[in-house]
Amino acid sequence: MDTNRSQTRAFLMLGLVMLFWAGNSITGRAVRDDIPPFTLALGRWAIAVMVILPFAARQLWRERAAALAGWRWVLALGFLGIVCFNGFLYKGLHYTTAANALLLQAAIPAAVMVLDFAIFGGRPGRMHVLGVAVSTLGVLAIVFRGDPSALMQLQFGAGDGLVFCAVAAWSLYTVCLRKRPPISATSLLLLTFTIGALAMAPLAAMEAAQGQVVVWSPQVVAAFAYVGVLPSVIAYFIYNRATGELGPARAGQAITLMPLFGALLSALLLGERLQGYHLAGMALILAGIVVSALAVSRTK
C-alpha cells in the first residue's frame, strides 16, 4: 500500500515538472528575439548552479569519492540531459514551429521504452504500452488540432532535426539515470548543472562575438530567473527522483503532459481559446497516464 501511494505521488509530482517545462518552452519562445539560444541556456544553468551550490557543496565534498568513481556516468548525464537536450531544443525552436516541436517530443515515451529495452533489457508491460499509445494519440489530437489531414501539411527542416537530436538526448538521459553513482540528488544536480554551464559558455561567447546580444528588459530578467529555478533546479530534482521510483519508461511517459499544459498556459497567459480538440487531447493524455499508473499497481 505504501509503495502504491509513493508511486501515485511520483506521478503527481511529474505533472508539476511538466507544468514547469511547458512554461520553459513558452518562455523560450517569448524571448527568442531578445536572448540568443545558447546565451539563454548559459544563463539558465549558471543561475541553477548558484541556487543549488549552498545546499549541495558540503554534501558533494563528503561524497567526492563516489562521484569520482562514477565520473563517466556523471559526465554522460550532464552531456545528454543538460548540454545536448537544452542546446538542441533552444536552437531548434528558433527555426521550427511549435507544432513540429511538440510532435517530435511526443516520441520521447516510445523512444525511452525502445532504448531501455535495447540497452538495459527493460521490458514494459502491455498495459504500459497501451497507456503510451493512448497518451500519444492525445498529443497528436492537440498538435493536429483534431484534423488528421493536417499531417499532410507538415514540413520538416533543419530546426526539426535539431529538436529530434534533443529528443534522442533526453531519451538516453532518462534510461541512463539508473547508472547514476550513489550520491545525493543535490550533488548530482550540482555536477550536471556545472557541466551544462561550462559547455554553454564558449557557445554563448561565440554568439556574442557574432553580435547576438541580450536585449535587457524586466521581462528578460524575469525569464532568466524563471528558467534558472523552476524548470531547472526544482524540475530536474523531481524528475530524477521520480525516474528512480517509477522506472525510465513510466517516468518518460509524463512528457506527453507538456502539450496539455502548453495549451492551458497559452490560454491563460496569451489569451488563446481552448478548442474541442484541446479537451479531447487532454482526456486521452490523462487516460493513457492512468492506464500506466494502474499497470504499476497491478504488478505490485
Side-chain angles (χ1 to χ4, degrees), residues 17-25 85 89 102 105 108 139 142 253-265 285:
V17 171
M18 299 310 144
L19 176 62
F20 290 154
W21 283 346
N24 177 56
S25 296
F85 176 72
L89 183 62
L102 283 172
Q105 289 184 75
I108 288 178
V139 173
I142 293 174
Q253 186 185 356
I255 297 291
T256 56
L257 285 169
M258 286 184 63
L260 184 157
F261 287 126
L264 291 176
L265 289 174
I285 290 169

Side-chain angles (χ1 to χ4, degrees), residues 106-244:
I108 288 178
V112 168
M113 284 196 299
V114 171
L115 289 171
D116 192 36
F117 173 76
I119 299 173
F120 298 111
R123 294 179 179 274
R126 293 181 180 178
M127 289 290 287
H128 178 60
V129 173
L130 176 62
V132 169
V134 172
S135 291
T136 302
L137 284 176
V139 173
L140 296 178
I142 293 174
V143 171
F144 295 133
R145 305 189 175 192
D147 181 10
S149 65
L151 176 63
M152 306 302 296
Q153 302 173 11
L154 281 178
Q155 296 181 348
F156 293 95
D160 302 293
L162 292 169
V163 174
F164 180 79
C165 290
V167 166
W170 187 258
S171 302
L172 281 169
Y173 171 81
T174 299
V175 300
C176 289
L177 274 172
R178 68 173 68 204
K179 304 299 290 187
R180 54 176 288 183
I183 59 178
S184 66
T186 53
S187 295
L188 180 65
L189 291 182
L190 178 56
L191 289 171
T192 54
F193 290 171
T194 301
I195 291 170
L198 292 174
M200 291 301 169
L203 297 174
M206 188 182 306
E207 289 177 333
Q210 295 171 349
Q212 302 179 52
V213 296
V214 177
V215 182
W216 291 102
S217 68
Q219 291 77 16
V220 165
V221 173
F224 272 121
Y226 175 82
V227 301
V229 178
L230 294 180
S232 300
V233 177
I234 295 177
Y236 272 75
F237 179 87
I238 296 173
Y239 186 84
N240 290 355
R241 185 164 184 171
T243 300

Side-chain angles (χ1 to χ4, degrees), residues 26 56 58 79 86 88-89 93-94 100-101 111 113 121 127 137 148 150 165 179-180 220 235 247 256 280 288 297-298:
I26 288 179
R58 188 171 298 177
F79 182 72
N86 292 277
F88 283 131
L89 183 62
L93 284 172
H94 275 241
N100 284 24
M113 284 196 299
M127 289 290 287
L137 284 176
C165 290
K179 304 299 290 187
R180 54 176 288 183
V220 165
T256 56
S297 62
R298 290 180 180 179

